[in-house]
């Protein structure tokens, strides 16, 4: 949903007003801002929860996967506090990391909440895949950060329908 302001600018209400992105790190939470308007983030699970396969006789079989990983892309403006935080996290995760298993202090989490739709995305055990490509021009000046999540879950709002009540 979008509205057009009196000055002709179109504002996407999905990201402009109702979307909140929280960084979870070392037992603390901080709301992030400074995202490109209308494109704060995109995300998806790595694989489908259920896959389908047919046997030799075309009988359908369904298989539930155990892969709970996901990928998120955060689009930030250069010079914002969120961009500075992500650069800092990248260097903490990549420059100072020792060989062996990762500790909890080297990972971060993201909670993304949409107050309008009730949708919530939980991403835990996150690492930044690398530094973003710089995209600097008049139309789109943003940094696209790829976040790999060891656990990714997307939930919607409760259904207000008698068919789905206990």
């Amino acid at each position: 949903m979008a509205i057009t302001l009196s000055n002709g600018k179109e504002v996407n209400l999905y990201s402009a007003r109702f979307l909140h992105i929280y960084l979870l790190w070392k037992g603390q939470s901080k709301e992030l801002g400074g995202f490109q308007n209308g494109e704060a983030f995109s995300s998806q699970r790595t694989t489908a929860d259920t896959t389908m396969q047919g046997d030799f006789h075309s009988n359908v079989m369904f298989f539930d996967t155990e892969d709970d990983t996901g990928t998120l892309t955060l689009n930030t403006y250069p010079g914002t506090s969120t961009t500075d935080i992500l650069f800092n996290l990248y260097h903490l995760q990549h420059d100072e990391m020792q060989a062996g298993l990762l500790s909890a202090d080297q990972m971060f989490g993201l909670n993304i909440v949409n107050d309008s739709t009730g949708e919530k995305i939980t991403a835990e055990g996150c690492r930044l895949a690398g530094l973003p490509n710089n995209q600097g021009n008049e139309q789109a000046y943003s940094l696209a950060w790829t976040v790999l999540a060891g656990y990714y879950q997307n939930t919607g709002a409760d259904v207000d329908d008698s068919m789905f009540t206990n």
Side-chain angles (χ1 to χ4, degrees):
M1 178 178 174
I3 61 171
T4 303
L5 303 177
S6 60
N7 64 1
K9 181 176 180 175
E10 187 174 284
V11 178
N12 184 331
L13 295 180
Y14 180 82
S15 62
R17 180 171 295 160
F18 303 111
L19 194 63
H20 303 282
I21 300 176
Y22 299 96
L23 173 72
L24 311 170
W25 193 50
K26 292 191 175 185
Q28 299 180 51
S29 174
K30 175 179 181 55
E31 185 168 4
L32 301 177
F35 295 101
Q36 183 163 333
N37 189 25
E39 302 180 12
F41 81 101
S42 61
S43 68
Q44 66 182 18
R45 289 181 63 98
T46 303
T47 60
D49 289 328
T50 304
T51 60
M52 182 174 63
Q53 185 175 345
D55 66 9
F56 183 73
H57 301 287
S58 298
N59 296 317
V60 175
M61 297 178 287
F62 294 97
F63 298 94
D64 291 335
T65 62
E66 295 182 11
D67 186 354
D68 288 332
T69 62
T71 304
L72 300 94
T73 302
L74 302 176
N75 298 302
T76 66
Y77 279 124
T80 62
S81 63
T82 298
T83 298
D84 296 341
I85 289 168
L86 293 176
F87 269 118
N88 191 32
L89 280 172
Y90 170 81
H91 289 295
L92 286 172
Q93 288 185 330
H94 292 84
D95 298 348
E96 300 177 14
M97 191 170 292
Q98 302 294 320
L101 295 176
L102 298 175
S103 71
D105 284 346
Q106 294 168 317
M107 307 289 212
F108 63 93
L110 292 170
N111 278 345
I112 302 170
V113 180
N114 186 317
D115 291 340
S116 175
T117 64
E119 182 180 9
K120 180 179 179 184
I121 296 170
T122 302
E124 298 173 352
C126 296
R127 281 197 70 194
L128 291 165
L131 292 171
N133 292 333
N134 283 299
Q135 180 181 349
N137 61 57
E138 290 181 10
Q139 299 302 316
Y141 191 38
S142 66
L143 300 171
W145 297 86
T146 300
V147 179
L148 305 175
Y151 173 79
Y152 178 92
Q153 182 65 44
N154 189 343
T155 58
D158 291 334
V159 178
D160 187 20
D161 189 307
S162 60
M163 183 177 186
F164 296 96
T165 57
N166 292 339

